[in-house]
Amino acid sequence: MIRPIMTGSAAVALLATAFAPGAGASPQGTPPPDKIVIDVVTVNGSGCPAGTAAVAVAPDNTAFTVSYSNYLAQVGVGSKPTDFRKNCQLGLNVHVPQGFTYAIAQADYRGFAHLERGATGLEKASYYFQGMSQTASQSHRFSGPFSDDWQATDTTDVAALVYAPCGSQRILNVNTELRVAAGSSDPDSTTSFMAMDSADGSVNTLYHFAWKQCP
């Protein structure tokens, strides 16, 4: 179930599937047996105006999804000078059961792009916890001619995972960005765009948790 993003004390809460202790162990750890709750503290950016993004948590606590309905960067006919770059910053307060902590192990981004010959597109994302210096950032580039669905995956090696501090509540910041450049294409007669959205809300971003138990 997907609910619109809300700020302040409003929360997105989904029931979790119960796990036996130690069951299903994997490199990403065993998810906690109780539900997790995500408070959306902030949602800002030209790519996610109010009411155009939604968050949902997987029932098994292994991932959460962000869906967008107005995340589009473009250049050329019909575009404004500022449309070449769109961004969205989410500030998420992830409440996890006592004794557990988490990191973002993988993020899958999907959308649709139309890039004229000579034009380029960029999807970039970064992740960091409030008050911590470690920032993970990855970029994916696309070149025209291209007119199809696109997908990009950010993965982090187990040894490089940055976990939220045990016993301390920290805001998880997720910053995403789309850019489109006309390059050698003709912006006076063509339009190139890159979207992380869809009319029916089916295009989204999936973030995969890595779990571990605190000492």
Side-chain angles (χ1 to χ4, degrees):
M1 178 180 179
I2 296 177
R3 301 182 182 180
I5 280 182
M6 297 171 288
T7 57
S9 61
V12 178
L14 280 80
L15 295 177
T17 302
F19 285 83
S26 70
Q28 293 187 343
T30 303
D34 300 322
K35 72 178 181 179
I36 62 173
V37 176
I38 295 182
D39 291 323
V40 183
V41 181
T42 58
V43 51
N44 295 307
S46 54
C48 53
T52 66
V55 172
V57 183
D60 62 1
N61 281 347
T62 60
F64 69 92
T65 300
V66 182
S67 299
Y68 302 96
S69 62
N70 192 27
Y71 204 156
L72 174 75
Q74 62 179 345
V75 294
V77 178
S79 63
K80 294 180 287 189
T82 56
D83 286 345
F84 79 97
R85 177 185 180 272
K86 293 296 176 73
N87 76 293
C88 184
Q89 175 169 323
L90 297 177
L92 306 175
N93 196 355
V94 183
H95 302 272
V96 300
Q98 187 174 3
F100 284 85
T101 186
Y102 72 97
I104 300 299
Q106 179 176 314
D108 300 317
Y109 298 89
R110 297 189 295 120
F112 184 85
H114 174 81
L115 301 173
E116 294 287 333
R117 185 178 299 276
T120 58
L122 169 73
E123 179 273 323
K124 181 179 180 180
S126 60
Y127 323 88
Y128 63 96
F129 290 102
Q130 180 184 26
M132 298 179 66
S133 60
Q134 301 102 316
T135 300
S137 179
Q138 297 190 40
S139 300
H140 302 273
R141 300 179 185 276
F142 302 84
S143 300
F146 182 91
S147 188
D148 203 349
D149 294 327
W150 62 267
Q151 181 168 338
T153 298
D154 296 345
T155 57
T156 304
D157 292 337
V158 173
L161 288 172
V162 178
Y163 285 88
C166 285
S168 176
Q169 195 70 44
R170 299 288 179 92
I171 302 299
L172 169 64
N173 292 287
V174 179
N175 298 323
T176 57
E177 176 182 340
L178 293 179
R179 285 179 182 257
V180 176
S184 60
S185 67
D186 183 4
D188 294 326
S189 62
T190 64
T191 301
S192 293
F193 67 87
M194 189 169 181
M196 193 146 57
D197 69 352
S198 76
D200 61 6
S202 62
V203 175
N204 49 47
T205 303
L206 182 64
Y207 296 91
H208 304 263
F209 287 119
W211 293 99
K212 72 176 182 179
Q213 291 185 295
C214 294

